[in-house]
Amino acid sequence: MSLFFPRRERRAAFSEPEIPRPSASGSTFARINLTHAEASLQMVAVWSAVDLVASLESTLPLDVYEGEGAARRPVEKPKVLVDPAGDGYGAGDWTYQYRLSTLLRGNTYGRVGDRDRLGTPTQVVLFHPDEVQGWRDAKTGLPQWRVNGQKVEADEMWHQRAYTVPGRLLGLSPIQHHAMTIGQGLAAARFGQQWFEDGAHPSGMLTNEQALDAKQAKTAKERFMAALRGSREPLVLGQGWKFQAIQVAANESQFLETQRYTSAQCARIYGPGMPEILGYETGGSMTYANVEQRSLDLLTYALDRWLVRGERMWTSLLPPGQYAKYNRAALARTDLLTRYRAHAIALRNQFKVANEVRDDEDMQPVGWGAVPLVIGGKDPEEAEDK
C-alpha cells in the first residue's frame, strides 16, 4: 500500500505547528537583537504607540457595577482592583505592566498569590514575558508552564493573551512577527547616528594645482586642520590652494524617507490609525478638526479594543454578578463652552443630575444636586441664541 499511497506523518493530537519567522539574513539589520521585549522600545514609533495605549488604559477611571438597566448600580471596588499585585504600587502601575506585556509579546503572565472562597484570584503577581515558556502537553492537551526554567503548576498560573490563532496556547508576538520592519527602523536610526558622529563622507576637499607627494599632502592637511581647530578667525589659503565643501543631502541616501516609512509602519502594528494619531506622515488624508475629534479617533482606531479586553480581564477577577467598565468619557476632552453645553443638554433631558455634572468638573456636590432639574423648558442653545 505504501508504494502507491504515501505514508502520512503522524502528529500528536495536541501538537502546535511551527510559526514561520521572517528572515533578515543578508540584510544590514540582521544583527539587531529583538529577543528581549524591551529591545523593540528603542524604536521611537513602537515606544510611542505602546506607551500611548498602556498609559491611557492605566489612567482611565475604572468603575465596578452590578445589575443591568434600571437596576444597575455602582459598587465598591474589591482589593484586587485597587492593588492587584499586593505590592503597594496600585492598579495603575499593574495595568501598565499588564498592557505593555500584551502589546509587545501578545501574552501576559502572572502567578496567583491568593484566591477568595470561590476560587477567584485576589492577587496576581506578573512575570516578565520573556521568562515564561508555555505549551500544551502532546498527550493530554493540558497547559504546561515554566518560569526561568522552573515548573509552575497550571492552577497557579494566570495567563491573558491577544493576537490569538486557533489551536495555539499562546498569543502571537507582534514584535517577533514584525521584527524585520522594526529592525530596519533601528538600523536606519543607528546609521543616522553614525552619519552625524563619524561622518559617512568627507566634509570637504583641499586641492592644489601643483602635484604633491604623500608627505606634502599630509603636511598640508595637518596645517589646514590646525588652523581650523579652536579658532573662529578667517582662514587664508596660499597660492594655488582651494577648499571645496562637500554637501550630501541626507534624503539623497533615502535616510529620512526610510525613517518616516519604517516609523509609520511600526506604529501601524498597533492600529490602522496609529501613525496619524502619533503625527507620522503616511500620505493619507486623515486630519483633525479639533481636539474632541482627535480623541474620538484615538478611541475608535487604537484604544477601544484594548479597553474591551481590559474590562473582560477585570470582570474575571470580580465576584459573580459584578462587572468592570472604563469611563471612556474621560477621553473626550472638549473646550469649555462645548462641555458646558453638553452638561446643560444632559440636565434638561434629565439623564444627569447636577451633582454628576459637578463631579465631572471636579466640584463639590450640593444638597439639591441629586434631584433631576428642568431648565425653563427650553433648550439651552435656543435660550442662549435669544
Side-chain angles (χ1 to χ4, degrees), residues 139-210:
K139 295 182 179 179
T140 65
L142 298 177
Q144 304 291 315
W145 302 100
R146 288 189 178 274
V147 180
N148 282 328
Q150 301 296 317
K151 183 177 180 180
V152 177
E153 297 298 329
D155 60 352
E156 296 182 17
M157 281 294 297
W158 184 84
H159 176 219
Q160 297 284 311
R161 62 187 184 178
Y163 309 108
T164 54
V165 175
R168 298 193 185 279
L169 174 64
L170 305 183
L172 300 180
S173 168
I175 298 303
Q176 291 179 356
H177 279 266
H178 296 279
M180 186 174 296
T181 300
I182 297 172
Q184 185 179 10
L186 290 174
R190 294 183 183 182
F191 173 78
Q193 181 180 6
Q194 183 180 4
W195 179 283
F196 292 110
E197 286 185 353
D198 302 336
H201 66 286
S203 58
M205 293 188 301
L206 186 65
T207 60
N208 194 291
E209 297 175 356
Q210 299 179 5

Side-chain angles (χ1 to χ4, degrees), residues 78 80 112-123 315-320 322:
V80 67
V112 177
D114 197 9
R115 296 180 184 271
D116 62 15
R117 58 185 179 84
L118 299 177
T120 304
T122 58
Q123 184 185 62
T315 299
S316 71
L317 301 177
L318 294 173
Q322 296 183 2

